[in-house]
Amino acid sequence: MLMRSVVDGDPRLLAWRRVREFAVPPSMIETATARRLAGDWAGACSAARVDPDFGACSPAGADRVCASTGAAGDPELRAVARRHGGELAAMIHADLLHLAPDLLRWHLPRVETGRLRPGLTVSLAVYGPRLHLVARTAPGWADADQRITLALWDGEVAGVHPHPRPHRRFRFDLHRHLWDVRFAAELRDRSGADAWPGDGTGATHRWRAEAEILRRAEGRPGDPVLVRLNRHECPEVLPVEGPPSSRGRDGRGLLPREALLLPDAATWVPPDLELLRAGLIDPGQLHPLVADALAPGHARAATPGETAGPRYVDCRGQRHRIGLAGGVLSALDHDPAELRREEILVAFGGTPLPCLRAIEDATHRPESLTDIRARLDHGDLPGALRAVEALLGPHAALRDGPLRDELARVEQRHQTYELYRSGLAGPGPTKKPRRRKVTR
């Protein structure tokens, strides 16, 4: 059953709640939204850790090509206008102005750890048989801060990305509500929120309608549609008429070649809807565009800050606070005389108070704190540092340890990522990595 409470502890939904808390932080959404509303699509992408990569700026004379596109001020699009023409560049520019890169990050496929699925090319918009606006995640060996690349794919397969072609299964061009603010309100209808029975049957009630959308888009009204939930299960086949069948293979055990593949985004119930129905999340904790679609009329909460307040520790049968006092991390619910006695006892080999032990751990190993570790796992290094500063004080110095080592590795990872983007880095390990299971 999907409808479980926190006490029942549905591990998948609890994991998704954690992803929603840390993977796309409120500060990212707020900054990206402000820049998008100001018409600065590139700035919005920067705020959401999305790197536009449409080719080098075109030579002199390209400005004349794109002067009438509205994209003349975008260096990234000058090369597009030169190569594909001003009309097409204008279409792409219009889509970029309505791209919510933070919403795209919110909806991109993830693996069991909650991180973005690596080495993936997702089609966002199709402008011709061989021209797609795509979002790419780096392969695992080249990942830096869970960054995403925004590019155009025109049929070329050069470069070091392991899967440069748009993925048949993971595609958003038929699901613009997952990245385009003009269609964001469609999430409620496309997710089947009003008809979802909430009994663990998944999104099967939407498969027929989504299959028709796919057939129309591909111009193949009479072809069957495959529904593949994961690589282990035999896919179901949706014929144009009649009931679905899981026996969609021919006499040699092969799937019908003429069958279309239903996009992954159409096969599952959005985790946000499940979290809301299970009472594991409030609408105000969701991306605002998602909350408006799935919980219309909800009260807008103020954007929460990312600085930490006091932390709570179970100390000798009571719940105590540790937090900053006079710029120093302190046990707030113990008086100074008691703390001095405890420190003397510890000096003679006694067991420290849980509050003092928590302060020692936070000071020496802040990366062990769950929220800081989660920010690091999702590439939010600035957020992790702000949380450390809020905990230890603005003038606290990091001690030697895993967090300091992590900071030292950041620069090297970014260098590898930039080499990968430029095509100068190698393909990574020669051994083929184990395929990762998708959480959907």
Side-chain angles (χ1 to χ4, degrees):
M1 294 288 290
L2 292 175
M3 304 291 287
R4 293 184 181 180
S5 67
V6 178
V7 177
D8 293 329
D10 185 328
R12 185 180 64 86
L13 286 186
L14 294 175
W16 269 112
R17 183 177 65 175
R18 192 161 182 78
V19 169
R20 290 318 191 210
E21 183 177 2
F22 294 108
V24 189
S27 61
M28 174 187 289
I29 297 173
E30 184 177 9
T31 304
T33 300
R35 293 177 179 178
R36 172 177 55 78
L37 292 176
D40 182 10
W41 69 266
C45 285
S46 177
R49 300 200 302 274
V50 175
D51 299 313
D53 189 8
F54 298 135
C57 295
S58 56
D63 289 339
R64 295 194 302 271
V65 178
C66 61
S68 62
T69 68
D74 288 316
E76 287 281 354
L77 289 177
R78 293 173 189 163
V80 176
R82 180 172 61 88
R83 185 169 185 179
H84 300 288
E87 183 177 350
L88 192 70
M91 294 174 58
I92 296 171
H93 184 245
D95 281 341
L96 292 175
L97 289 175
H98 295 94
L99 164 70
D102 47 311
L103 184 64
L104 172 65
R105 178 178 291 278
W106 186 276
H107 286 302
L108 277 178
R110 297 179 179 274
V111 294
E112 286 178 317
T113 62
R115 291 167 63 86
L116 295 175
R117 181 181 174 92
L120 189 64
T121 296
V122 177
S123 177
L124 304 182
V126 180
Y127 305 104
R130 306 289 286 182
L131 187 63
H132 295 233
L133 176 65
V134 298
R136 288 193 174 110
T137 57
W141 61 268
D143 175 61
D145 298 343
Q146 292 281 271
R147 301 192 76 84
I148 301 165
T149 301
L150 196 66
L152 288 175
W153 180 80
D154 58 3
E156 295 183 357
V157 293
V160 296
H161 194 280
H163 305 289
R165 296 177 179 274
H167 203 289
R168 284 183 65 207
R169 179 179 168 198
F170 300 105
R171 54 186 292 189
F172 283 5
D173 58 295
L174 301 181
H175 294 79
R176 278 184 172 248
H177 55 282
L178 302 181
W179 63 270
D180 188 327
V181 295
R182 293 169 294 187
F183 301 89
E186 293 182 6
L187 176 63
R188 183 174 186 84
D189 180 60
R190 295 291 294 275
S191 66
D194 293 325
W196 180 50
D199 59 0
T201 57
T204 56
H205 62 292
R206 279 289 306 171
W207 286 356
R208 286 284 184 190
E210 293 292 333
E212 288 306 310
I213 293 174
L214 175 62
R215 291 185 180 109
R216 287 197 302 269
E218 298 295 332
R220 297 164 59 179
D223 289 350
V225 173
L226 299 180
V227 182
R228 183 183 291 277
L229 300 180
N230 58 58
R231 65 189 181 93
H232 300 293
E233 296 182 11
C234 180
E236 296 208 30
V237 180
L238 301 177
V240 177
E241 296 180 356
S245 170
S246 60
R247 298 187 298 274
R249 301 176 185 270
D250 61 21
R252 296 171 297 168
L254 300 176
L255 294 169
R257 290 187 177 183
E258 73 277 8
L260 298 165
L261 181 63
L262 196 66
D264 177 71
T267 64
W268 47 274
V269 173
D272 303 310
L273 181 57
E274 294 187 67
L275 289 169
L276 285 172
R277 296 285 179 86
L280 294 177
I281 202 169
D282 294 325
Q285 297 172 277
L286 297 174
H287 190 290
L289 293 172
V290 173
D292 287 345
L294 297 183
H298 72 280
R300 283 288 183 91
T303 302
E306 292 180 53
T307 56
R311 292 171 183 268
Y312 292 91
V313 178
D314 290 328
C315 184
R316 295 181 176 176
Q318 295 182 329
R319 202 171 187 222
H320 288 170
R321 300 166 298 150
I322 63 172
L324 290 180
V328 178
L329 188 61
S330 307
L332 301 179
D333 295 316
H334 296 273
D335 62 61
E338 181 186 8
L339 293 176
R340 281 195 296 271
R341 290 195 301 270
E342 289 296 328
E343 289 170 354
I344 293 173
L345 289 174
V346 171
F348 283 95
T351 301
L353 280 168
C355 284
L356 295 180
R357 191 162 59 245
I359 291 173
E360 180 72 9
D361 288 344
T363 304
H364 289 83
R365 298 188 300 109
E367 76 288 339
S368 66
L369 300 173
T370 56
D371 58 337
I372 294 173
R373 183 72 260 171
R375 288 183 170 92
L376 291 173
D377 289 343
H378 289 291
D380 183 17
L381 181 60
L385 292 177
R386 286 194 297 270
V388 171
E389 181 180 290
L391 174 66
L392 302 182
H395 304 298
L398 284 180
R399 301 173 182 263
D400 290 339
L403 180 56
R404 193 164 184 170
D405 295 342
E406 176 79 9
L407 301 181
R409 286 193 294 268
V410 166
E411 183 177 356
Q412 180 59 51
R413 289 205 304 269
H414 276 280
Q415 290 176 355
T416 302
Y417 174 73
E418 291 302 329
L419 289 172
Y420 149 75
R421 282 189 63 202
S422 64
L424 299 177
T430 56
K431 182 179 178 181
K432 186 176 181 180
R434 181 176 63 86
R435 295 187 66 179
R436 305 189 187 189
K437 179 182 176 182
V438 182
T439 57
R440 295 172 179 163

